[in-house]
Amino acid sequence: MPAAAPDLAPLDRWRLFLEAKARSTQAAYRPIVAGLLGALPPGAPLSEEAIVRYVRAGAETSDDVYNQRRSVVASYCRVAGLRFPLELLPYRRVSPHDRVVAVFSPDQVHAFIAAAATHPLPLPRALAALATTYGLRRVELAAILPRDLDLPGRLLAVRTAKGGVHASHLLPEEILPALDPAAFAPPRTVETVHGWFKALARRAGIPRQWHEGFDMSIRTALVRGLLRAGLGENQVERFMRWNRGRMAWRYERGHERDQAPDVDGPALLLHPFLPYWRETLRA
């Protein structure tokens, strides 16, 4: 049975709800609800069946996307006065030990960077530059706003997910040509970021079975590269914005604080992937 029609009153309440949220939250929430309502046939009511179908479709990308859709759509239903079918959409808790992540080789990262650096659109270039330089997660890349990129000051503001520390990172010269703050003006979802990662992987000739868990693959390759280049475990953890000890060696074996130059400086000096950006962008 239909839960209710997406009429003006629920949408007005939703807009008021979003106005009280941070801009990064608004940027993350709006596309998800727009996708939910946009998937309905013209004039069709928003039914529980449509809600379940839309949220479950997120699992085709990852459990993280499913959980994000579930949370945002549940908020929309609560604000709009609709029933959210909680019993049909349980939270998906996946232990890190249950995740099998294919770690990219240096050659695969190099091919990925080359595919991104030569892409005609600014957003995939910027996403790839930030992902390979700082190991940003898809949800962190989806939350970036134009004001977070201070190119004259050479700083990037990161809203770290999963309990990590928020940080300001130094922007190295190697990736500056790949960064355009205007590329982050249109709101994007985690799925948008994931879609660009898959497109760049295809462009780079990376086999399809490597396309899932893309951000984790890059992040793990980055951590291993920094450790093997001689960066200390504590410096790696601070560069990766972690707030717990021994995380770096977990990656090798298979939170409100600004980053100071003495944190990013050594990491960028020993960074395994910045030479790829320097080589590709100057070619």
Side-chain angles (χ1 to χ4, degrees):
M1 293 294 292
D7 56 23
L8 185 61
L11 290 177
D12 279 344
R13 290 198 294 273
W14 177 246
R15 293 189 188 102
L16 289 174
F17 172 80
L18 283 184
E19 287 175 3
K21 299 293 182 181
R23 289 181 61 187
S24 59
T25 301
Q26 295 178 27
Y29 280 25
R30 282 198 178 105
I32 293 175
V33 172
L36 170 69
L37 301 180
L40 298 174
L46 179 58
S47 64
E48 290 186 8
E49 179 183 2
I51 292 171
V52 171
R53 183 169 56 248
Y54 178 74
V55 173
R56 285 180 176 170
E60 297 175 4
T61 302
S62 71
D63 287 337
D64 290 336
V65 172
Y66 167 90
N67 286 333
Q68 185 188 38
R69 280 194 180 188
R70 175 184 180 275
S71 174
V72 174
V73 173
S75 295
Y76 174 77
C77 290
R78 183 177 65 254
V79 172
L82 307 176
R83 181 181 180 276
F84 181 77
L86 185 64
E87 71 283 358
L88 299 177
L89 297 169
Y91 179 80
R92 296 192 176 185
R93 189 178 303 277
V94 180
S95 168
H97 302 292
D98 295 332
R99 296 181 185 270
V100 178
V101 178
V103 182
F104 285 175
S105 68
D107 287 344
Q108 286 175 315
V109 177
H110 196 176
F112 178 75
I113 288 174
T118 57
H119 199 284
L121 296 178
L123 181 59
R125 289 199 302 269
L127 292 173
L130 298 181
T132 56
T133 302
Y134 307 107
L136 299 189
R137 300 176 177 91
R138 290 171 295 183
V139 67
E140 294 161 351
L141 290 166
I144 290 177
L145 301 171
R147 60 183 171 84
D148 296 329
L149 276 169
D150 177 8
L151 298 189
R154 302 276 291 272
L155 290 173
L156 166 71
V158 177
R159 300 170 189 85
T160 306
K162 297 192 175 181
V165 294
H166 295 349
S168 293
H169 276 295
L170 297 178
L171 288 171
E173 180 180 353
E174 289 86 345
I175 66 170
L176 289 180
L179 300 178
D180 179 3
F184 291 98
R188 74 212 71 87
T189 65
V190 172
E191 294 146 296
T192 303
V193 176
H194 185 73
W196 277 120
F197 278 179
K198 291 201 294 186
L200 292 175
R202 290 192 296 269
R203 187 180 173 95
I206 296 174
R208 184 180 181 88
Q209 63 265 29
W210 293 70
H211 293 188
E212 297 304 322
F214 216 106
D215 51 347
M216 177 67 82
S217 299
I218 292 173
R219 190 162 62 254
T220 305
L222 173 58
V223 170
R224 292 184 177 185
L226 290 171
L227 289 170
R228 293 169 183 177
L231 193 65
E233 177 185 348
N234 183 59
Q235 289 176 300
V236 171
E237 290 177 348
R238 293 176 67 191
F239 181 70
M240 299 301 293
R241 305 166 306 281
W242 293 331
N243 63 5
R244 298 186 300 185
R246 304 300 299 171
M247 283 293 293
W249 294 110
R250 294 182 192 180
Y251 275 76
E252 173 62 9
R253 293 191 301 265
H255 295 260
E256 185 82 27
R257 179 175 56 202
D258 282 345
Q259 298 285 81
D262 66 330
V263 175
D264 280 6
L268 297 178
L269 184 65
L270 298 173
H271 202 290
F273 305 145
L274 288 182
Y276 300 158
W277 282 103
R278 186 187 308 117
E279 169 189 329
T280 305
L281 291 174
R282 290 182 179 178

